[in-house]
Amino acid sequence: MKFSVTFGAVGDGRDPRGLADLARLAEESGWDGVFLEDYLAYQGTSLPTYDPWICLAAMACATSRVRLGTTVTPLPRRRPWKVAAEAVALDHLSDGRMILGVGIGDPADPFLGGVGEPTDPRVLAEMLDEGLAVIDALWSGEAVHHRGKHYQLDGAQLTARPIQHPRIPIWIGGNLLVPAVRRRILRWDGSCAYKGPTTASLPMLPEDVQALRAQRSNDFDIKTSGGSPQAFAEAGATWWGRWIPPGPRAEAEQILRAGPPRI
């Protein structure tokens, strides 16, 4: 099992330079991954929030071993070809350490409805599925012809390809109790899903990991959090993560220096 921490790029000490320092400390302290939440305005707060993709670039330059990525990027808020190109650049900058976590996003995000973007969860789910298909096709390096409900590409091509093969890993976030989320998990490269609605989430259990693992072989990742890392590892999870909320930098540093759990 691998161990990670997740930050929001928000608040004092969580700007690109500060997160680069925290990622370096995480690597030195034995953690295996550092992930960022992807917000432009953090969960309705007035805290200063920084673009996570710029922060990831700084983190990639400050580290050499830890995996880096988003958990999760609300893909419908972005143009999929832009995300595809940025992820390839980060994969090269990090020498093949990028992981792309995705979800439909929060319909209440001010950078959806507040800027005229769709907020209907069903539409967002359609955009997520179609956007992932577009990204996967663009990562092939070939010209892409796509006529979908939400995106159209007429021979568009990204000639820079990811370092990782067959692609940058795509992890699926969202509510594990939603059938479409489980379907995506089985289609792509991993799960960083939670269980239950965000307003009343339920604890992820080893049995949930076992149920996912029973539907597919061990060639995909399952990232969990909370509970017993040992029990999750025995159930087939490959990652255990700890969320570090916004707060004093000293508290984050203390958590990082303590290192990952021992199992």
Side-chain angles (χ1 to χ4, degrees):
M1 173 172 273
K2 296 180 176 65
F3 297 94
S4 67
V5 290
T6 298
F7 292 101
V10 53
D12 294 338
R14 306 285 181 88
D15 59 2
R17 184 175 289 106
L19 283 166
D21 291 340
L22 291 174
R24 184 187 299 110
L25 177 58
E27 183 170 271
E28 292 170 350
S29 302
W31 296 89
D32 302 296
V34 183
F35 298 98
L36 294 184
E37 299 173 282
D38 191 337
Y39 290 96
L40 298 179
Y42 194 76
Q43 298 183 345
T45 74
S46 59
L47 292 171
T49 306
Y50 303 93
D51 183 278
W53 290 78
I54 301 298
C55 294
L56 283 169
M59 293 158 64
C61 292
T63 57
S64 61
R65 179 186 59 81
V66 290
R67 300 302 298 262
L68 302 168
T70 57
T71 53
V72 296
T73 288
L75 191 57
R77 198 185 67 202
R78 307 282 306 281
R79 297 298 186 191
W81 38 89
K82 182 63 172 166
V83 173
E86 290 172 346
V88 167
L90 278 168
D91 203 41
H92 281 261
L93 185 61
S94 65
D95 197 22
R97 293 183 283 134
M98 175 67 184
I99 294 171
L100 176 62
V102 296
I104 68 169
D106 180 1
D109 186 333
F111 286 95
L112 286 175
V115 294
E117 297 288 348
T119 57
D120 184 332
R122 292 186 180 183
V123 174
L124 296 175
E126 291 174 354
M127 296 173 72
L128 173 57
D129 286 328
E130 193 176 335
L132 286 173
V134 167
I135 287 172
D136 193 35
L138 286 168
W139 282 346
S140 73
E142 303 295 327
V144 177
H145 299 273
H146 177 88
R147 286 288 180 271
K149 182 175 180 180
H150 300 283
Y151 306 112
Q152 294 79 40
L153 288 80
D154 187 12
Q157 183 177 15
L158 294 178
T159 53
R161 299 189 62 189
I163 289 178
Q164 297 180 81
H165 183 78
R167 61 173 166 252
I168 296 165
I170 293 173
W171 289 1
I172 301 300
N175 181 358
L176 188 64
L177 302 181
V178 175
V181 173
R182 295 197 300 275
R183 170 182 56 77
R184 289 185 198 104
I185 290 170
L186 298 178
R187 163 66 180 86
W188 297 100
D189 307 305
S191 167
C192 54
Y194 52 87
K195 192 170 73 170
T198 55
T199 54
S201 59
L202 303 170
M204 193 83 160
L205 300 173
E207 297 93 295
D208 300 314
V209 174
Q210 291 172 335
L212 275 179
R213 188 62 73 194
Q215 297 179 65
R216 187 171 166 182
S217 65
N218 288 341
D219 62 352
F220 79 115
D221 284 308
I222 300 175
K223 178 178 175 290
T224 59
S225 62
S228 164
Q230 177 72 49
F232 280 126
E234 292 172 355
T238 55
W239 284 81
W240 183 90
R242 176 166 182 172
W243 176 60
I244 301 180
R249 181 184 179 88
E251 292 182 6
E253 291 177 346
Q254 182 178 13
I255 292 170
L256 295 176
R257 287 197 179 95
R262 297 172 184 250
I263 63 172

